[in-house]
Amino acid sequence: MLNIVLFGPPGAGKGTQSEKLITKYGLTHLSTGDLFRKHLGEGTDLGKLAKKYMDEGHLVPDEVVIQMVEDKISNSENSSGFIFDGFPRTTAQAEALDKMLANHGMAISGMIALDVPFQILKERIIERGKTSNRVDDQNEEKINTRIKVYLDETLPVAKYYEKQGKFKEINGVGEINDIFNEISETIDRY
Ligand code: ADP
């Protein structure tokens, strides 16, 4: 069973690499951002709640995110493992994830962090905003808020896994396939 946390700031390439990893390793992709956008598209109460936070670049409250992830894990009983993308984003979420996985007889294999300089992140997100229809990608102030939220609230999650000896950082700038190969080499050592 492989359970990987793909980590990094907004625009680091987590979604792109996740798509390739689920194909190669047969894992279930669990992207909290994608799940929220699905709810939003379907107009559910959860989607409406999340939208208020997402559009401003703020985090959706922990208890809401954790419940959604718990449901997804419980509904994926036959999975051979997960790629967690955009989750956990706070230390409280990381602690909750460890407990949830333990309840299902699983554990995190490792965290892989994509390292990308902030100037490049901003350029990538602005480029994505031209076609993504994402309100949070289309405004420089909101992009700056997301980067600040990442630094203040999400970066401590890296320390959480570092303390457990499960942290590995990879350069997220370069050819998509080269980055993918480096991630794969790390996973193959788990
Ligand atoms: P990006 O990595 O480009 O910021 P995501 O799709 O991962 O995009 O997330 C978009 C938004 O969804 C976040 O800015 C936040 O509002 C919300 N969100 C996603 N995952 C979480 C999470 N684990 N905790 C809180 N909010 C989240």
Side-chain angles (χ1 to χ4, degrees), residues 159-172:
K159 286 271 169 301
Y160 179 87
Y161 289 99
E162 216 171 355
K163 278 189 207 141
Q164 297 186 9
K166 292 180 175 176
F167 177 80
K168 166 81 178 155
E169 188 166 67
I170 283 175
N171 179 10

Side-chain angles (χ1 to χ4, degrees), residues 7-10 59 89 113-114 118 121 145-156 158:
F7 187 77
L59 294 184
R89 248 175 163 97
L114 294 173
F118 289 111
L121 292 174
T145 303
R146 281 155 68 201
I147 291 176
K148 185 172 181 332
V149 167
Y150 169 78
L151 290 172
D152 292 347
E153 299 184 54
T154 304
L155 207 47

Side-chain angles (χ1 to χ4, degrees), residues 9-190:
K14 301 185 294 290
T16 306
Q17 295 297 336
S18 291
E19 287 308 319
K20 296 171 75 69
L21 290 166
I22 54 172
T23 309
K24 175 160 181 180
Y25 294 97
L27 301 172
T28 302
H29 186 198
L30 201 160
S31 158
T32 43
D34 286 354
L35 287 174
F36 283 131
R37 279 185 290 275
K38 186 163 181 282
H39 275 278
L40 233 145
E42 291 166 356
T44 67
D45 288 344
L46 177 58
K48 285 176 198 150
L49 175 82
K51 182 176 164 57
K52 289 191 287 189
Y53 298 93
M54 294 174 77
D55 283 357
E56 295 307 318
H58 294 133
L59 294 184
V60 178
D62 282 339
E63 56 278 16
V64 176
V65 186
I66 290 165
Q67 185 59 54
M68 183 176 72
V69 172
E70 171 85 73
D71 291 346
K72 175 80 182 172
I73 292 176
S74 299
N75 290 327
S76 312
E77 283 297 347
N78 295 322
S79 169
S80 53
F82 292 90
I83 296 211
F84 295 98
D85 162 5
F87 178 90
R89 248 175 163 97
T90 63
T91 306
Q93 291 179 15
E95 287 164 355
L97 178 61
D98 273 349
K99 286 199 191 108
M100 271 183 244
L101 290 176
N103 284 339
H104 293 269
M106 301 187 284
I108 290 296
S109 313
M111 164 184 270
I112 298 174
L114 294 173
D115 181 34
V116 179
F118 289 111
Q119 191 48 43
I120 295 183
L121 292 174
K122 282 173 84 169
E123 288 163 12
R124 285 187 187 176
I125 297 172
I126 288 166
E127 201 50 40
R128 181 171 72 185
K130 291 177 186 166
T131 53
S132 73
N133 277 330
R134 280 180 55 174
V135 179
D136 60 343
D137 280 350
Q138 290 166 354
N139 170 309
E140 183 152 8
E141 195 189 317
K142 286 172 186 170
I143 297 171
N144 287 335
T145 303
R146 281 155 68 201
I147 291 176
K148 185 172 181 332
V149 167
Y150 169 78
L151 290 172
D152 292 347
E153 299 184 54
T154 304
L155 207 47
V157 178
K159 286 271 169 301
Y160 179 87
Y161 289 99
E162 216 171 355
K163 278 189 207 141
Q164 297 186 9
K166 292 180 175 176
F167 177 80
K168 166 81 178 155
E169 188 166 67
I170 283 175
N171 179 10
V173 183
E175 291 293 326
I176 288 172
N177 279 327
D178 292 343
I179 299 166
F180 177 65
N181 288 337
E182 213 180 315
I183 296 174
S184 299
E185 279 169 24
T186 301
I187 293 175
D188 293 340
R189 283 194 292 267
Y190 289 153

